[in-house]
Amino acid sequence: MNRVFEILFFLTIFLSYNIKNRRGEVNMDNKKRIYMGISMIAILGIVIGVSFALWNVNIAQEGINTITSGCLKLTLTEESDAINLTNTYPITDNEASNLEPYNFRIENTCNSEVSYNISLEMMEVENRLKSEYIAISIDNGQKSILNTLEETEVTYNKGDYTPVEGRMLLNGVLKGNESKSHSIRLWMDESVPATEETMNKTFIGKIVLNATLTGRYVEDILNGAEPVLANNLIPIEIDDTGKVTKANLKSEWYSYEKKKWANAVILEDETITYNDGDIIPESNIESYFVWIPKYSYQLWDLGSYTGLSTVDTTKP
C-alpha cells in the first residue's frame, strides 16, 4: 500500500512540473490539465482501493464437525435383603450353603458396551471383625476367605462409614442394555478361633460397582454374539495378499455384514509383543482361528415328495 502512495506522489509532481510554461506561469489550458490530472489520480486511487477490497476471500468448510458423547449409566438393584447375621459364630461350609444369599442385579441402561468390576468394601467401625475371618461364596461357587481375594482401591464415599479395605468379587463386560444377576453369601469361617480378636466384633461391608466404557468395536448384526478372545488369542486382519497385522479392537476389524470375518492367531513365541497395525510374520504364527457366531436358521417343511421338485416356501 505504501508503494502505491509513492507512485501517486511522484505522478502528481510530474504533472505539475510539465504544465508550467517557460516563464514559470500557468495558463488556462494548463489549469485544465491540472484538474484533469488530479481527477485521474483520484479515480486511480478509487480503482486501486476497490481492487484491494476485491482480494479479500471468505470460504467456509462444507461439512460439519460433530462430536457426540456416549452414554455410561449402570444400575444396581437389590433383589433380596442385605446380609444381617447377629450373634453369629463359625459354621461349616455345608451350613453356610443354607444361608440366605444377598441377590442383586446390575444393568447397563445405555447402548455402549462397558467393562465393570464389583467389589466388597469393608467399613471402619469400632471393634471391627477383620476380613481374614470372613468366608464368602459368590454365585454359589467355592468358598474363599475374604482377605485372599484381589485387593482393590476403595471408592465408597457416602454415608457415615469410611471404607478401609476393598476386595474384588467379580468383573466382566456388559453389552448395551444387558443385565446380569449375582449372589453372595458371607459367614464366619469354621476355622475362626474363639479369641479376643473374633468375639464381640462387627463386620460391615458394602457392594460397590465401578464401570468404564470399553470403546470396543461391536457390530449390531451379530445381536450380542460378537467375538470373545481368550488371553492367548491375538486379533488380526488379513489383507488380499495374505499379510497379517494385529487388529485394533476399537476399529472395524471385522464385519459379518460385509463378510469380513473376525480372525485371531496364537503365537509361536508369546513373549513377542505386537502393537496395533504391526505385521505378524508367518514364522511366529502357531495357528489361526475364526469366530463363528451363533445364528438362527429357517428350515422348510419339504412335505412328501416322491422325487426332485420345488420347495414350498410358504411352509417355514
Side-chain angles (χ1 to χ4, degrees):
M1 182 63 77
N2 290 336
R3 186 62 179 169
V4 173
F5 285 123
E6 290 177 5
I7 294 172
L8 293 176
F9 176 73
F10 284 114
L11 182 59
T12 303
I13 293 176
F14 176 77
L15 289 173
S16 300
Y17 177 79
N18 283 280
I19 61 177
K20 290 184 179 181
N21 58 22
R22 295 179 180 178
R23 293 176 301 197
E25 295 178 354
V26 181
N27 57 29
M28 293 301 295
D29 291 336
N30 288 339
K31 286 183 179 181
K32 291 180 180 179
R33 291 193 182 95
I34 292 173
Y35 294 139
M36 289 177 64
I38 294 174
S39 299
M40 290 296 296
I41 293 171
I43 293 172
L44 180 61
I46 293 171
V47 172
I48 292 174
V50 172
S51 298
F52 271 102
L54 291 177
W55 278 103
N56 292 326
V57 177
N58 188 354
I59 300 175
Q61 173 188 359
E62 291 185 4
I64 298 175
N65 299 312
T66 304
I67 298 176
T68 303
S69 63
C71 171
L72 175 60
K73 184 178 181 181
L74 271 72
T75 61
L76 188 151
T77 304
E78 297 179 287
E79 298 182 336
S80 66
D81 293 335
I83 296 172
N84 184 14
L85 299 178
T86 57
N87 296 321
T88 190
Y89 51 87
I91 59 176
T92 65
D93 298 347
N94 187 51
E95 291 174 312
S97 65
N98 295 319
L99 294 175
E100 187 69 26
Y102 169 64
N103 301 304
F104 61 95
R105 178 173 56 87
I106 59 173
E107 181 180 6
N108 179 8
T109 60
C110 296
N111 293 323
S112 304
E113 182 186 72
V114 299
S115 61
Y116 70 90
N117 62 69
I118 299 172
S119 60
L120 181 65
E121 296 190 5
M122 281 69 79
M123 305 299 160
E124 182 63 84
V125 293
E126 188 177 0
N127 297 320
R128 179 169 65 93
L129 182 63
K130 296 180 180 179
S131 60
E132 62 190 271
Y133 303 121
I134 301 297
I136 184 171
S137 172
I138 304 169
D139 293 339
N140 299 316
Q142 293 294 319
K143 174 190 75 174
S144 298
I145 302 303
L146 197 53
N147 73 329
T148 64
L149 301 181
E150 178 186 350
E151 189 169 8
T152 62
E153 182 180 355
V154 294
T155 58
Y156 180 82
N157 57 3
K158 299 178 181 179
D160 299 329
Y161 297 110
T162 302
V164 293
E165 181 183 357
R167 298 289 172 176
M168 176 72 72
L169 301 185
L170 297 160
N171 58 60
V173 173
L174 277 177
K175 304 179 184 67
N177 301 305
E178 183 184 15
S179 63
K180 293 181 179 180
S181 294
H182 297 288
S183 66
I184 63 169
R185 287 182 173 88
L186 294 170
W187 68 95
M188 289 184 69
D189 187 58
E190 58 185 326
S191 64
V192 173
T195 64
E196 289 293 330
E197 281 195 351
T198 61
M199 292 189 293
N200 296 318
K201 303 294 182 181
T202 301
F203 174 87
I204 293 180
K206 284 184 177 288
I207 296 291
V208 177
L209 170 64
N210 289 289
T212 56
L213 289 170
T214 64
R216 184 164 51 188
Y217 172 74
V218 176
E219 190 176 26
D220 291 339
I221 193 175
L222 294 182
N223 195 28
E226 64 271 2
V228 178
L229 296 169
N231 292 334
N232 60 339
L233 285 176
I234 306 298
I236 62 166
E237 292 186 79
I238 307 174
D239 67 10
D240 294 337
T241 66
K243 182 177 68 175
V244 177
T245 56
K246 185 176 183 297
N248 180 355
L249 295 180
K250 295 183 179 180
S251 64
E252 186 181 308
W253 64 286
Y254 67 87
S255 175
Y256 283 79
E257 185 173 8
K258 302 174 185 176
K259 295 181 172 55
K260 178 184 176 183
W261 318 128
N263 295 296
V265 296
I266 290 179
L267 302 177
E268 287 278 4
D269 185 355
E270 296 185 350
T271 63
I272 299 177
T273 302
Y274 296 98
N275 296 318
D276 295 344
D278 286 353
I279 297 175
I280 302 177
E282 183 70 27
S283 59
N284 197 30
I285 296 177
E286 190 271 337
S287 53
Y288 288 85
F289 295 84
V290 61
W291 179 256
I292 302 176
K294 294 180 179 179
Y295 282 95
S296 60
Y297 298 92
Q298 190 174 45
L299 303 179
W300 304 92
D301 178 10
L302 299 180
S304 298
Y305 299 104
T306 57
L308 293 177
S309 180
T310 57
V311 175
D312 185 356
T313 58
T314 64
K315 300 178 180 180

